[in-house]
Amino acid sequence: MKKKIEALLKRLQVAVRHNPAEVVLSVLFCCFGCALYETSCTSLAVVVHYFPVLFLVTCTLNSMTVGSSWRFAYYLSVLFFIPFFWEENDFGSIFYWVTLVVVQLLYLVCDWRRDNDWFVRKGLCYLRAVLSAGLLAGIAWLLSISIYYSIQYIFEIWQYGERRFMAYSSSIAFIGILPLLFLLFNREKEESVNKLFEVLLNYVLSPALLIYAVILYLYFIKVILLWSLPKGAVAYIVVSFVSATFILKSCQSFLERRYYDWFYRHSGWAVLPALVMYWVGAFYRINQYGYTEERVYLVVVGAILTGTVLLFFFRRTAHYLYAAVLAAVLLSLVTYIPGITAGDIERASQEKRDNYPIPKSPNNYYEYVTITDYSPLDVTGYETLQTVGRYDEGAVNSMIQMDTFYLCDKKQQILFEAERDSLLFRQMEKAGLAPADSIPEDLYPAILRLDLDSALYVLGEISVYRSSPDSAYTVSYMGGGYYLKKRVSLPTHNK
């Protein structure tokens, strides 16, 4: 045991010696995390939020500048956090998550090695290091919490220090310890494949992928026979299916027994019908409702998947390095280049479609509105009234899939469907409002009242938000309420 601990400490020393800037960055941000609790500074919160991005940028520069004259850029990277003090609070925004994906892609491609086995091995090593470091850091954090509460309970001290302890301990565990463990595990290159890994690929993941393929092919046949459009949520299944196909294909060369080579050799042709469904569904909705920020990224993800398939049709371009570069470039184009960002494309598309100006959103503004009405409901002229549930809770149900709102009966027959934002704009227009107008409370009943051919649907709630006082609202939820069927008047016969 003593020898194992000594060996572990030696490996940790080597990791620290080869990654000095990463260690400094981790210690610095650990202090920032503790200071954030004491100050509640919004700018500091943004900086701490971007720690994973900055840490990966430093790791990438470390790998790229070893032995070069640009080594100073690696050491200066510990100061890259300074501009983020002036960034807006965008926690959970698409910009942040795309940035996190892009820096990981750049980390994987920075060595510019076209050998697929080497590239995949680096990716697996990175993933294993992240998971191992996260697991150990999480266990250490939970143990520290257990010790703290035990001391507090037994000795009746530190009675009001829970929040401070949580803030400090989480900063130390996840900003201080986790990165150091990542540096340690990321240096260990695993040459042999774990037996569990082989069992997982051959007997769990690959069979599940084949089942997915059969399901998608059967659905594709159904779409052709009924000559209907693919459902919106199929896009998620297609993205998962195509991504999983090429990820599992990349791991096949590490297996001793390769039972599914027959499938992965023709994987490009196998995923084509799924991609056709993806593009048909995507462009139908774009043609109907225009671009939104989410749909721009939907097209970009589709382009990445399609480009990857095309790359692997030819031996000279069948490299995961090229696929990763393609993904990084396309995501960066619609995220960072002014004029063609996802937000810019959305504004241009919606202005053209609705003929309403939607200016660029200023910073630090956010409006959230819940449209409801609790006044008595006039049922004159209606023969039945049914409460609208969610999904399959009642005789009539409402749901949102992708960005389409559905009203269905208990047999899942669609009574009404519409793109959720367009439906809101139509209801606002009926009440005399433009999409960029604020919604006064006295117009809530009119907006919630949706007249159908043989029924009236009174929505229970519409939740909307916007990030500018002059921009259009986006629907986050709509549904519930009541479904009233109109009374059918019988024809009268003269004697």
Side-chain angles (χ1 to χ4, degrees):
M1 178 63 73
K2 184 179 179 181
K3 289 182 178 180
K4 289 184 178 180
I5 294 174
E6 289 177 352
L8 180 64
L9 290 175
K10 283 183 180 179
R11 289 201 298 270
L12 186 59
Q13 287 174 0
V14 172
V16 170
R17 191 166 61 249
H18 285 83
N19 302 275
E22 290 91 331
V23 174
V24 171
L25 199 66
S26 297
V27 173
L28 184 63
F29 269 78
C30 184
C31 296
F32 284 169
C34 296
L36 180 61
Y37 172 80
E38 304 295 345
T39 62
S40 300
C41 176
T42 304
S43 299
L44 188 59
V46 174
V47 172
V48 172
H49 190 62
Y50 272 93
F51 171 69
V53 172
L54 296 166
F55 183 82
L56 278 173
V57 168
T58 303
C59 289
T60 302
L61 287 172
N62 190 4
S63 181
M64 292 177 65
T65 61
V66 172
S68 75
S69 58
W70 291 92
R71 190 61 175 171
F72 69 91
Y74 163 65
Y75 295 110
L76 286 177
S77 64
V78 297
L79 302 177
F80 286 177
F81 69 88
I82 294 175
F84 287 90
F85 276 109
W86 290 274
E87 276 291 312
E88 64 175 296
N89 187 334
D90 63 346
F91 298 166
S93 68
I94 295 178
F95 179 90
Y96 174 80
W97 291 110
V98 170
T99 300
L100 191 57
V101 170
V102 168
V103 295
Q104 291 180 88
L105 291 171
L106 292 177
Y107 172 76
L108 293 176
V109 306
C110 65
D111 297 308
W112 202 255
R113 298 277 291 271
R114 290 187 298 175
D115 181 72
N116 282 342
D117 287 353
W118 189 94
F119 186 87
V120 174
R121 195 180 295 279
K122 181 179 180 179
L124 291 174
C125 182
Y126 168 78
L127 182 62
R128 185 195 62 181
V130 170
L131 295 176
S132 301
L135 178 63
L136 290 179
I139 291 172
W141 183 62
L142 291 174
L143 286 173
S144 69
I145 292 174
S146 175
I147 292 169
Y148 174 84
Y149 279 109
S150 297
I151 294 173
Q152 184 190 68
Y153 178 75
I154 293 171
F155 299 104
E156 298 182 0
I157 57 175
W158 305 336
Q159 295 297 321
Y160 304 103
E162 292 93 343
R163 293 183 61 189
R164 176 175 279 103
F165 178 81
M166 288 294 184
Y168 277 58
S169 61
S170 57
S171 295
I172 293 170
F174 298 112
I175 304 180
I177 296 175
L178 191 152
L180 293 177
L181 291 173
F182 168 78
L183 296 174
L184 171 65
F185 293 126
N186 203 39
R187 293 192 62 82
E188 298 176 3
K189 306 297 182 183
E190 190 174 44
E191 297 299 329
S192 60
V193 175
N194 189 287
K195 201 69 178 176
L196 178 62
F197 180 77
E198 186 159 346
V199 170
L200 186 66
L201 258 65
N202 276 334
Y203 300 104
V204 179
L205 297 180
S206 290
L209 188 68
L210 290 178
I211 293 171
Y212 256 108
V214 171
I215 292 170
L216 284 173
Y217 268 105
L218 290 175
Y219 182 67
F220 188 60
I221 293 170
K222 175 188 173 184
V223 167
I224 293 175
L225 292 177
L226 298 179
W227 203 244
S228 60
L229 286 166
K231 293 182 178 180
V234 170
Y236 292 113
I237 300 175
V238 172
V239 169
S240 303
F241 171 66
V242 178
S243 302
T245 298
F246 281 91
I247 290 172
L248 296 181
K249 175 187 174 76
S250 70
C251 298
Q252 292 303 299
S253 60
F254 300 114
L255 303 180
E256 292 181 8
R257 299 178 180 178
R258 297 160 64 171
Y259 300 122
Y260 302 96
D261 264 0
W262 56 273
F263 174 77
Y264 292 112
R265 274 199 305 269
H266 305 94
S267 56
W269 296 106
V271 301
L272 278 182
L275 285 173
V276 169
M277 283 194 293
Y278 184 93
W279 285 115
V280 169
F283 279 114
Y284 173 76
R285 282 165 177 76
I286 290 168
N287 186 57
Q288 264 196 319
Y289 311 121
Y291 279 99
T292 61
E293 201 169 1
E294 290 79 5
R295 291 195 195 110
V296 172
Y297 283 106
L298 181 74
V299 170
V300 169
V301 170
I304 292 169
L305 296 177
T306 306
T308 301
V309 172
L310 294 177
L311 285 173
F312 277 83
F313 272 131
F314 307 98
R315 187 181 296 274
R316 292 186 67 181
T317 58
H319 299 290
Y320 288 100
L321 173 70
Y322 296 158
V325 170
L326 175 68
V329 170
L330 292 181
L331 288 171
S332 298
L333 284 175
V334 297
T335 305
Y336 310 121
I337 308 299
I340 59 171
T341 65
D344 293 330
I345 295 171
E346 176 187 14
R347 280 190 291 275
S349 176
Q350 296 302 320
E351 285 173 1
K352 182 179 179 181
R353 185 169 68 92
D354 295 316
N355 201 27
Y356 289 109
I358 306 177
K360 189 174 181 179
S361 303
N363 294 339
N364 302 322
Y365 180 91
Y366 189 83
E367 180 185 358
Y368 188 89
V369 178
T370 301
I371 303 171
T372 55
D373 178 40
Y374 299 105
S375 58
L377 185 63
D378 184 6
V379 296
T380 305
Y382 302 96
E383 61 179 359
T384 60
L385 182 150
Q386 293 171 303
T387 301
V388 177
R390 295 187 184 185
Y391 303 102
D392 57 352
E393 292 177 353
V396 180
N397 307 289
S398 62
M399 68 181 75
I400 293 177
Q401 291 187 346
M402 294 287 285
D403 44 17
T404 303
F405 173 81
Y406 296 95
L407 190 68
C408 308
D409 62 17
K410 60 183 177 182
K411 296 180 180 179
Q412 294 301 306
Q413 297 292 323
I414 297 175
L415 303 173
F416 174 78
E417 69 174 292
E419 200 271 339
R420 59 184 182 184
D421 291 341
S422 297
L423 175 57
L424 172 67
F425 297 156
R426 289 205 301 269
Q427 293 299 99
M428 291 176 67
E429 187 177 6
K430 187 181 69 174
L433 299 172
D437 289 343
S438 296
I439 305 175
E441 290 190 22
D442 60 329
L443 293 181
Y444 284 5
I447 291 173
L448 293 169
R449 191 181 178 93
L450 178 62
D451 289 301
L452 306 177
D453 291 337
S454 59
L456 170 69
Y457 175 37
V458 181
L459 288 105
E461 177 186 326
I462 303 178
S463 298
V464 298
Y465 66 91
R466 61 180 176 179
S467 54
S468 164
D470 301 313
S471 65
Y473 287 104
T474 298
V475 176
S476 60
Y477 170 76
M478 59 169 49
Y482 300 97
Y483 183 79
L484 296 85
K485 200 160 187 180
K486 295 177 181 177
R487 181 176 290 123
V488 180
S489 55
L490 299 174
T492 55
H493 299 281
N494 295 326
K495 292 183 178 180

